[in-house]
Amino acid sequence: MPVRQFDSAVEASTTAARFILDKLQSTLEAKKRASVVLAGGSAPWHLNAALLGFRGEIDAGLIDWFFGDERAVEPESPHSNYRMQMETLLGPLKISENRIHRIRGELGAVKAAEDYRRNLTDFFSGPTAFDIVILGLGPDGHTASLFPGDPSLSVDDVSVTISVVAPLKPHVERVTLTLPAINTADTVIFFTGRSGKEAMIHRLHSDSAGALETAYPFESIRPDSGPAMWFIYGSEA
Ligand code: 6PG
């Protein structure tokens, strides 16, 4: 499991952003297009600041931007992942609306999931095949909105599903990519702070990982293309 650990969020963000941009450059050279799945939560604030620092290096307008999950809220809500990503990355990059594939949380989780699933099927003309998926890590081991014990973890026949009510704030219904939609990506990256997640991060190094235990949702992220890359910031205790 390739794990890079940094004391500072800035160092982690710069290194992760460089990795992402290098991946994007090679993808755009090969395909003249790229699909990137953005994460929610607060860690993306750091990563996005670093990505903006490299903005001149790629034609961000050739990239289609997606979301790993969304809360069933209005796009203007302070709980909206879309709003956070618009404010910290997509807005400053001036990405045109037709390149942003928003999960329409305001429809309610079930309708928003159906809408997003249709959008993905149309975009990929079949099964999802994202180029880059960026994920966060929750203190309970969730990622995207795949929470421990949630039925969403066993959904394997569609790319998008719902998680009924998140056990963590905000306690609202959510829409999430399913494990297959993530594990079929070319490159998966976890970008997370250490604070509050030490027990989960410790599992990255423990031999339980070798036993392929999947006690927590993040441990079910095992891309067909190879292990996810981890960028972790925050000093070890
Ligand atoms: C969400 C995210 C979620 C997030 C983790 C980590 O919608 O909340 O998709 O999976 O990545 O909860 O959040 P922090 O980065 O804020 O710790």
Side-chain angles (χ1 to χ4, degrees):
M1 186 86 66
V3 180
R4 303 283 306 274
Q5 309 201 63
F6 304 83
D7 284 343
S8 81
V10 170
E11 216 184 334
S13 308
T14 306
T15 308
R18 181 72 269 162
F19 177 83
I20 290 166
L21 282 148
D22 289 348
K23 276 284 172 192
L24 281 173
Q25 276 166 343
S26 56
T27 303
L28 290 173
E29 277 162 23
K31 304 197 304 184
K32 302 292 182 268
R33 64 189 280 187
S35 54
V36 177
V37 175
L38 298 171
S42 60
W45 286 72
H46 298 292
L47 177 59
N48 290 352
L51 286 169
L52 288 181
F54 293 104
R55 72 178 81 189
E57 291 197 25
I58 53 164
D59 181 351
L62 292 177
I63 300 166
D64 280 276
W65 304 86
F66 298 83
F67 292 81
D69 70 319
E70 185 57 278
R71 294 81 180 269
V73 296
E74 299 290 331
E76 303 77 21
S77 163
H79 296 310
S80 164
N81 289 334
Y82 165 79
R83 174 176 163 176
M84 177 272 293
Q85 289 288 356
M86 281 304 292
E87 288 174 350
T88 59
L89 184 69
L90 303 175
L93 285 180
K94 298 183 173 46
I95 303 297
S96 62
E97 205 174 309
N98 67 333
R99 290 283 191 182
I100 301 172
H101 304 265
R102 181 172 75 84
I103 301 173
R104 297 198 295 163
E106 67 277 18
L107 301 177
V110 172
K111 284 193 166 52
E114 286 165 6
D115 176 71
Y116 194 46
R117 195 182 305 139
R118 270 195 304 277
N119 185 340
L120 295 183
T121 302
D122 292 349
F123 181 83
F124 288 107
S125 308
T128 54
F130 292 113
D131 292 303
I132 297 177
V133 174
I134 302 169
L135 297 171
L137 173 68
D140 59 353
H142 82 262
T143 190
S145 279
L146 298 164
F147 290 95
D150 193 282
S152 56
L153 285 164
S154 53
V155 175
D156 61 5
D157 57 340
V158 288
S159 56
V160 183
T161 191
I162 68 166
S163 61
V164 184
V165 177
L168 299 180
K169 288 182 182 172
H171 298 292
V172 294
E173 287 191 330
R174 297 174 183 220
V175 177
T176 184
L177 290 180
T178 57
L179 288 172
I182 296 170
N183 284 329
T184 50
D186 179 71
T187 301
V188 178
I189 294 156
F190 279 92
F191 182 81
T192 183
R194 170 183 298 279
S195 175
K197 304 155 189 188
E198 292 83 354
M200 297 299 141
I201 290 169
H202 177 70
R203 291 178 67 89
L204 287 176
H205 308 289
S206 63
D207 58 8
S208 63
L212 284 183
E213 269 186 44
T214 56
Y216 297 95
F218 79 95
E219 293 171 312
S220 291
I221 302 296
R222 290 203 295 274
D224 306 338
S225 58
M229 286 290 295
W230 285 79
F231 298 88
I232 301 168
Y233 59 88
S235 46
E236 294 189 67

